[in-house]
């Protein structure tokens, strides 16, 4: 069930049998010359929606803007500061906790979100600790879809070290599978982008002039995207089940 397409009585009924919810989180940022700006949000949302078609789980709205300050030298990128994202995630968590949700599973499409979302979870737990609260402890998890065992094995098989770390052929393929009408036919020079560290926006554009890091998304295809999605779905379902059954 998708929260955006449900009514409040439906959510109330859902809570009688489950208190788990999946929240896709991504980013709106450049993904090189042939990757869609919405890639990170599209990937997380696509996998989460597939989860809801396989199991009875509520999927919340996609948080489609993330901590992406380092992409701001490329037009179209929209970023939240770490402090803004922290406040956003914390408010989303607290809202869901108000209704009795206990297990909040953030399915993540963007590496830049990881540290800040982790800090937001710490803020939620910290507020309870300092208040001496003995109410039920919220179970909060951030899961990067691309780190599952099946996805990692498949991306290694399909792309090897051309996977890189930003604008990867895996994520570009998956976003193209979700939006086949938006596939871009662009030649990339060099084929494989340079590697390096991320700091601020001007530094990023100087080091990675076309936006990619270490990747060759010229290898991306809709057909690969279908396989990546299938692998990511199995990884996510397995991890989500472990999360909800842990305690
Ligand atoms: Ni990405």
């Amino acid at each position: 069930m998708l929260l955006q397409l449900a009514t409040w009585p439906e959510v109330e009924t859902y809570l009688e049998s489950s208190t788990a919810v999946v929240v896709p989180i991504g980013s709106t940022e450049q993904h090189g010359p042939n990757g869609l700006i919405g890639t990170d949000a599209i990937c997380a949302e696509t996998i989460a929606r597939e989860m809801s078609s396989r199991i009875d789980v509520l999927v919340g709205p996609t948080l489609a803007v993330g901590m992406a300050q380092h992409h701001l030298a490329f037009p179209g990128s929209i970023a939240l500061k770490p402090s803004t994202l922290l406040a956003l995630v914390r408010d989303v968590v607290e809202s869901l906790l108000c209704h009795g949700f206990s297990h909040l599973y953030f399915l993540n499409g963007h590496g830049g979100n990881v540290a800040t979302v982790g800090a937001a979870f710490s803020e939620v737990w910290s507020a309870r600790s300092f208040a001496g609260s003995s109410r039920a402890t919220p179970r909060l998890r951030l899961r990067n879809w691309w780190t599952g065992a099946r996805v990692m094995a498949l991306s290694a098989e399909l792309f090897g070290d051309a996977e890189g770390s930003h604008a990867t052929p895996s994520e570009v393929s998956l976003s193209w599978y979700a939006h086949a009408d938006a596939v871009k036919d662009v030649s990339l020079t060099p084929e494989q982008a340079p590697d390096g560290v991320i700091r601020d926006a001007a530094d990023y554009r100087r080091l990675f002039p076309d936006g990619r890091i270490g990747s060759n998304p010229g290898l991306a295809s809709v057909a690969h995207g279908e396989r990546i999605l299938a692998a990511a779905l199995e990884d996510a379902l397995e991890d989500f089940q472990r999360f909800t059954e842990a305690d």
Side-chain angles (χ1 to χ4, degrees), residues 29 31 39-40 109-110 165-168 171:
E29 67 188 41
H31 271 75
T39 297
D40 293 350
H110 173 50
S165 60
H166 182 64
T168 68
E171 63 179 342

Side-chain angles (χ1 to χ4, degrees), residues 15 22 32 35 52 63-64 80 88 106 148 150 153 155 189 198 230 240:
L15 280 162
V22 175
S52 79
L63 308 182
L80 302 180
L88 170 73
F106 285 76
R150 295 171 186 81
S155 72
T189 310
I198 296 172
F240 178 75

Side-chain angles (χ1 to χ4, degrees), residues 99-185:
H99 312 308
F101 288 96
S102 62
H103 288 66
L104 279 57
Y105 188 85
F106 285 76
L107 188 64
N108 183 37
H110 173 50
N113 290 337
V114 172
T116 303
V117 174
F121 292 170
S122 291
E123 287 283 354
V124 170
W125 288 315
S126 173
R128 282 163 172 70
S129 298
F130 279 97
S133 171
S134 55
R135 285 182 296 150
T137 304
R139 267 54 178 174
L140 310 172
R141 176 156 171 77
L142 182 78
R143 169 69 171 182
N144 301 322
W145 71 262
W146 64 94
T147 60
R150 295 171 186 81
V151 167
M152 289 182 69
L154 181 57
S155 72
E157 173 196 325
L158 293 174
F159 309 122
D161 72 352
E163 173 73 355
S165 60
H166 182 64
T168 68
S170 292
E171 63 179 342
V172 171
S173 294
L174 175 43
S175 70
W176 283 0
Y177 175 69
H179 293 278
D181 53 345
V183 169
K184 314 295 180 186
D185 183 13

